[in-house]
Structure formats: C-alpha cells, structure tokens
C-alpha cells in the first residue's frame, strides 16, 4: 500500500520561505515520478513542480525561479523549497506519486500553505 505523508506547511509572510517534505512508503521510491500540486480555494488543483525518476524537474511558469523540487531516493522523500512566496501561492499542497509499473496515481493528505500579504 503506497502512502504519502506531507509536512512543512504553515503561515508565512509574503516574501518568506517554506520547505515542504513528502515521505513515501510502500513502493520502490526511486522508480517513480513525483510531483507537488496545489489547490487554492475555488480553483482546480494544479501542478506546481514535478520530478522524474532520473531527477529531471519541471515547474509551473508561476513558480519558476522561486521554487525548487528535489528528491532523496535514500530517504524516500521529495521536497519542495519555496522562496519569495506571495499571496497567490496560498493553498493546500499535495504530494503526488505516479507509479512506474501500474501507472496508478497516489496522493498525500495535503498540507496548508498560507501566505499573508
């Protein structure tokens, strides 16, 4: 059973930084693509950043240059470093795993990020 557990959300002032972490279990972590999504109130869930099993990253245009996604295959974790946060970054952030064999997608429970302006 694949499980994803996020941590690191909270309240931060505009211009500040937060680091989110997602711990995965129940799968061979290194073979799976991982991602961070967010959902703002009244909006659809959107991709923030993704990272392949090989470590290649991609970002939403709105976060390029401010956010960095990274993975540690030894610890089964994927992190999202968020810098220069603004009010538009507010939302619930979800960790996502795209299973390499089954192609099933798994989600964490989400962690709230609130940026005060």
């Amino acid at each position: 059973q694949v499980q994803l557990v996020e941590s690191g959300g909270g309240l931060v002032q505009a211009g500040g930084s937060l680091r989110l972490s997602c711990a995965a279990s129940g799968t061979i972590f290194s073979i799976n693509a991982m991602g961070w999504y967010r959902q703002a109130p009244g909006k659809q869930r959107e991709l923030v950043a993704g990272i392949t099993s090989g470590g290649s990253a991609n970002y939403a245009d709105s976060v390029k240059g401010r956010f960095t996604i990274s993975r540690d295959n030894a610890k089964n974790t994927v992190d999202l470093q968020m810098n220069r946060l603004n009010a538009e970054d507010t939302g619930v952030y979800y960790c996502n795993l795209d299973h390499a064999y089954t192609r099933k997608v798994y989600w964490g429970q989400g962690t709230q990020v609130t940026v005060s302006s």
Side-chain angles (χ1 to χ4, degrees), residues 8 30-31 42 49-50 70 78 85-86 106 108 114:
S30 62
I31 65 173
S70 61
V78 58
L85 287 159
N86 57 58
Y106 297 87
T114 303

Side-chain angles (χ1 to χ4, degrees), residues 7-97:
S7 61
L11 174 65
V12 64
Q13 288 189 335
S17 299
L18 280 176
R19 188 176 184 89
L20 306 182
S21 186
C22 172
S25 61
T27 181
I28 304 172
F29 179 79
S30 62
I31 65 173
N32 302 303
M34 303 293 299
W36 283 96
Y37 286 69
R38 69 185 177 194
Q39 187 163 19
K43 294 187 178 181
Q44 290 189 332
R45 193 173 297 189
E46 62 175 357
L47 174 68
V48 176
I51 188 165
T52 68
S53 57
S56 296
N58 63 285
Y59 299 92
D61 287 343
S62 60
V63 306
K64 283 180 180 177
R66 300 188 298 121
F67 290 13
T68 302
I69 188 171
S70 61
R71 65 190 297 159
D72 187 332
N73 290 335
K75 296 181 179 179
N76 288 3
T77 57
V78 58
D79 291 352
L80 185 69
Q81 176 65 43
M82 306 186 293
N83 299 326
R84 303 200 309 276
L85 287 159
N86 57 58
E88 288 69 41
D89 296 318
T90 294
V92 180
Y93 283 68
Y94 296 91
C95 180
N96 165 279
L97 182 151

